[in-house]
Amino acid sequence: MKDSSDEEDVSLGCSTLTLSPLVPESPPRRRSQPILISTNRKKGGEVLSSSESPIPNPFPELCNLSLPNGSLPSESSDKFVIKVYGDESAYKTILIGRQATAREVCQLLVQSAHCSNEDNWALLEIYPTLGLERCLEDHEIVLEVQATWSDKVEARFMFSKNYDKYEFFHIQWRFFANGMISDSEDAMKKTTSTVFIRELTSNVKSPQIKGFFYLKGYFKTSWKKMFFTLRRSGLYISTKQTGDQHLKEFANLNVSNVYKVVDGCKQYGAPTEFNFCIKPTKSQGQVKDLKIMCAETEEMRKMWICAFRLFKCGRQIKLNYNAVSESKLAPRTPVSPKLTESKSESENSLVAMDFTGKAGGRIIENPTEAHNAEEEEAQAWRKRETLRFCQPNTNSEPQDFSFHETHPWFYGGLTRNEAEKLIEKQGLVDGMFLMRRSQQHENCFVLSLCHELKVKHFIVIPVLEDGKKYLTLDDGKTRFIDLLQLVEFYQINKGALPVCLTRPCICVPL
């Protein structure tokens, strides 16, 4: 066998083959070694410290912004990130200031979500595992509320409509039952609902409200009927409906908040579904710290929750309501100065006229009367237009009933139970409504409407006449070519409904 460094001999029987390598041998590999970087580096004669980054952070305000539960932000921090849910799963993170109030956060969310309707939005504090929820007052500092949360129980903020937040100001003459409210100094001196609300929002006198509730005991099924008295000094409890000598302090208003209990029958074994809870501000979220009560009607629960809010901060709630009312009267969008100047001459030459008298027209000089006349004329025009569209359809083409899906009051395949919970979450106010598809009848819809603290459902069925398809909810007496015309008609006319449609139930995805 031939001996060579470039050839290799392979013996097969009697013959010998010589094979040459196809790829030359590679040079020996050199492993990389770690390089020691000194603490101080030089660049152009200047010493740079390794702790100082040569590239500045373009977003320093986004670093270390999250606020852990149970802690307040440091004095040096200016901005923080909070998480706000729009529904059960979707949420949005927003950047807020240290002293941002609930109203300011709602205004920020309205702008970011491009909400067409800017009124009646609220920030809710929700404990999903405990079934508790409450509407934050407009003046509450959001970060201070979040600082009271515990890591042991889940808590979140939710952005939602809330129509009953200031409803007691609109119907204050009948909101509180006259037999339950009186003067705390003289129990025999009865008062009216209007006077009761005025005294709570002015801090002039000290009224009180009394009533019976079921109080949850230590065990799930232990509920006992007790007599409660609510005053400025706190909530008191007694086993008898007698004098003040039997009253015992039950809760301090200054260090507690009132919550609505969701699904209390299933979770806490309550006798009825009209439950509310008083939770201490610094509670760790344990059930033993919750003071859960059960009312006999929804009206009673709503009355006592509002009374608790007014006793705690009635004067501030009145100021919040006045601020909201003033914002509604203010112009939504600023007007360009050039546009104002171009219209000033023509607008100044126009005056409001009244032609209802027999002596001819007269000039309306009172601004309030002129504004009311303008609204009445617009309402009459809208009514005429709605009735005009409700005339028999002369179009031979098939109707398209999908146009309503673009409106926020339409919820598609929402179930009956889900519709009731959604309306209840946004406030059981008369005229609140939503439209959905029927789960039992094909090609039909259901109008879910709130009236007297109850949700009622009206089926909308299609009818045929002269080969044309219409929609109706009163067996064909009033017919509409689509759901949009139906909703616009019943916003003006009550018709077969117990109340006109006034407030749409709206959910905005964040």
Side-chain angles (χ1 to χ4, degrees):
M1 185 167 59
K2 189 175 181 180
D3 191 9
S4 175
S5 60
D6 296 333
E7 296 179 352
E8 182 178 358
D9 297 340
V10 179
S11 176
L12 297 175
C14 298
S15 63
T16 301
L17 298 177
T18 301
L19 301 178
S20 300
L22 298 177
V23 180
E25 294 182 2
S26 60
R29 297 180 180 178
R30 299 180 60 185
R31 301 291 181 181
S32 60
Q33 300 296 326
I35 301 176
L36 180 62
I37 301 177
S38 60
T39 306
N40 297 329
R41 295 168 292 170
K42 293 185 177 181
K43 180 180 179 181
E46 299 179 357
V47 179
L48 298 178
S49 176
S50 60
S51 61
E52 298 179 359
S53 176
I55 302 177
N57 183 9
F59 305 105
E61 68 276 5
L62 298 180
C63 299
N64 301 325
L65 294 173
S66 60
L67 179 65
N69 294 343
S71 63
L72 282 171
S74 61
E75 295 293 339
S76 60
S77 303
D78 295 330
K79 298 291 183 178
F80 286 88
V81 171
I82 64 170
K83 184 186 298 184
V84 181
Y85 284 78
D87 51 30
E88 298 299 331
S89 57
Y91 64 87
K92 184 182 184 65
T93 56
I94 59 174
L95 191 66
I96 66 172
R98 177 186 175 88
Q99 298 296 325
T101 62
R103 187 187 178 194
E104 292 172 348
V105 173
C106 288
Q107 292 175 345
L108 182 62
L109 291 171
V110 165
Q111 295 175 2
S112 62
H114 304 286
C115 301
S116 57
N117 188 350
E118 300 180 8
D119 300 329
N120 303 113
W121 290 102
L123 196 64
L124 306 182
E125 181 189 10
I126 296 181
Y127 290 85
T129 56
L130 299 177
L132 307 181
E133 63 178 37
R134 78 176 181 100
C135 177
L136 268 65
E137 304 296 347
D138 288 346
H139 65 276
E140 289 192 72
I141 306 299
V142 176
L143 292 181
E144 292 182 358
V145 175
Q146 184 173 333
T148 61
W149 294 353
S150 172
D151 295 332
K152 299 180 181 179
V153 62
E154 181 185 1
R156 62 178 61 171
F157 291 123
M158 179 171 287
F159 179 62
S160 173
K161 280 279 188 181
N162 190 279
Y163 289 104
D164 64 345
K165 189 173 184 178
Y166 299 115
E167 183 66 15
F168 51 85
F169 285 120
H170 302 155
I171 54 173
Q172 52 182 317
W173 65 90
R174 60 179 177 89
F175 191 84
F176 291 97
N178 294 336
M180 300 176 59
I181 53 181
S182 62
D183 195 303
S184 60
E185 298 178 358
D186 186 5
M188 300 301 296
K189 184 180 179 181
K190 302 299 180 181
T191 183
T192 62
S193 177
T194 304
V195 175
F196 181 74
I197 295 176
R198 184 170 63 248
E199 291 178 350
L200 289 178
T201 55
S202 59
N203 295 335
V204 177
K205 293 184 178 180
S206 179
Q208 64 181 5
I209 181 172
K210 299 181 179 181
F212 281 98
F213 291 104
Y214 291 98
L215 177 63
K216 182 183 180 302
Y218 182 78
F219 300 99
K220 183 176 181 179
T221 57
S222 62
W223 289 81
K224 187 176 181 180
K225 196 171 186 178
M226 305 291 289
F227 185 75
F228 291 88
T229 301
L230 182 60
R231 298 174 178 174
R232 291 190 190 275
S233 55
L235 180 64
Y236 299 88
I237 188 172
S238 174
T239 56
K240 301 178 181 179
Q241 188 178 358
T242 55
D244 296 346
Q245 64 272 15
H246 297 283
L247 296 178
K248 296 181 180 180
E249 186 176 2
F250 185 69
N252 188 350
L253 304 186
N254 297 325
V255 294
S256 304
N257 288 315
V258 61
Y259 294 79
K260 182 187 293 185
V261 180
V262 181
D263 201 8
C265 296
K266 181 179 180 181
Q267 190 161 358
Y268 299 106
T272 67
E273 59 182 0
F274 314 113
N275 310 291
F276 62 100
C277 167
I278 295 178
K279 175 182 171 296
T281 305
K282 297 182 179 180
S283 172
Q284 296 298 317
Q286 299 180 2
V287 178
K288 65 179 183 179
D289 298 332
L290 306 179
K291 299 176 180 179
I292 305 175
M293 290 167 284
C294 178
E296 295 182 353
T297 62
E298 174 63 28
E299 182 181 6
M300 190 71 64
R301 176 174 70 168
K302 189 174 182 178
M303 185 189 310
W304 273 77
I305 290 178
C306 292
F308 192 98
R309 294 172 52 205
L310 289 173
F311 272 106
K312 184 177 181 179
C313 51
R315 185 177 180 84
Q316 184 62 49
I317 290 177
K318 178 64 175 180
L319 296 177
N320 297 341
Y321 172 71
N322 292 338
V324 172
S325 301
E326 292 175 0
S327 65
K328 292 181 180 180
L329 299 177
R332 297 291 183 181
T333 56
V335 182
S336 174
K338 295 182 179 180
L339 183 60
T340 305
E341 294 176 0
S342 61
K343 291 185 177 182
S344 59
E345 297 181 359
S346 60
E347 288 181 353
N348 291 334
S349 61
L350 299 177
V351 294
M353 299 290 295
D354 180 17
F355 297 96
T356 57
K358 296 182 179 180
R362 68 178 181 89
I363 299 177
I364 302 177
E365 298 180 354
N366 189 351
T368 304
E369 185 182 359
H371 179 71
N372 294 336
E374 182 182 1
E375 289 187 347
E376 291 178 1
E377 184 177 356
Q379 192 82 349
W381 175 86
R382 186 180 179 187
K383 185 175 181 179
R384 289 194 303 269
E385 289 298 306
T386 305
L387 293 174
R388 181 175 63 86
F389 280 112
C390 294
Q391 296 300 320
N393 182 24
T394 57
N395 189 4
S396 59
E397 298 180 359
Q399 296 298 318
D400 182 13
F401 289 94
S402 61
F403 180 70
H404 53 264
E405 296 181 359
T406 61
H407 290 266
W409 41 257
F410 184 76
Y411 283 82
L414 200 69
T415 64
R416 181 189 184 99
N417 189 27
E418 292 172 345
E420 293 178 352
K421 289 184 177 180
L422 184 59
I423 293 179
E424 181 181 355
K425 181 181 290 292
Q426 298 192 11
L428 293 173
V429 179
D430 286 354
M432 189 181 196
F433 73 97
L434 62 84
M435 191 74 68
R436 56 189 177 88
R437 291 192 181 92
S438 175
Q439 301 289 318
Q440 300 179 352
H441 306 280
E442 188 177 2
N443 298 328
C444 296
F445 303 93
V446 177
L447 173 66
S448 299
L449 175 65
C450 179
H451 177 60
E452 295 182 351
L453 302 178
K454 295 182 180 180
V455 181
K456 302 179 181 180
H457 307 274
F458 303 87
I459 188 168
V460 180
I461 61 175
V463 293
L464 291 176
E465 182 177 344
D466 299 333
K468 308 296 188 303
K469 188 176 181 180
Y470 301 92
L471 295 176
T472 181
L473 56 76
D474 55 3
D475 296 331
K477 295 180 181 179
T478 312
R479 300 179 300 274
F480 308 91
I481 62 175
D482 55 27
L483 286 180
L484 178 59
Q485 293 182 2
L486 183 145
V487 169
E488 289 184 345
F489 177 83
Y490 286 107
Q491 284 179 332
I492 302 173
N493 307 275
K494 183 172 66 172
L497 301 177
V499 65
C500 291
L501 308 181
T502 56
R503 299 175 175 90
C505 189
I506 300 176
C507 288
V508 175
L510 296 179

